[in-house]
Amino acid sequence: MYEGDLLSAVLTRNLSVWAEFPELGPELRGIVSKLTGLPPDLEQEVERFLVP
């Protein structure tokens, strides 16, 4: 396990997961939009996740 592995796994789930649990997407967007100091590759995953 590496730093950010769990967050990366959550952010890169298939879009069908977010359709199945629609209340989780907005909640996660609120959380990850406040994160700072992420490694560059994880920062890119966060940016991709935040794009509607």
Side-chain angles (χ1 to χ4, degrees):
M1 292 269 199
Y2 295 97
E3 181 180 352
D5 278 352
L6 179 58
L7 180 58
S8 178
V10 170
L11 295 176
T12 58
R13 291 304 83 202
N14 189 298
L15 294 178
S16 65
V17 170
W18 305 115
E20 188 173 343
F21 302 99
E23 70 282 359
L24 296 180
E27 186 174 346
L28 184 57
R29 281 183 179 82
I31 293 168
V32 299
S33 67
K34 297 174 185 171
L35 296 176
T36 60
L38 298 173
D41 57 331
L42 193 52
E43 182 71 37
Q44 290 176 354
E45 288 179 9
V46 167
E47 289 173 7
R48 281 192 293 270
F49 180 80
L50 292 175
V51 173

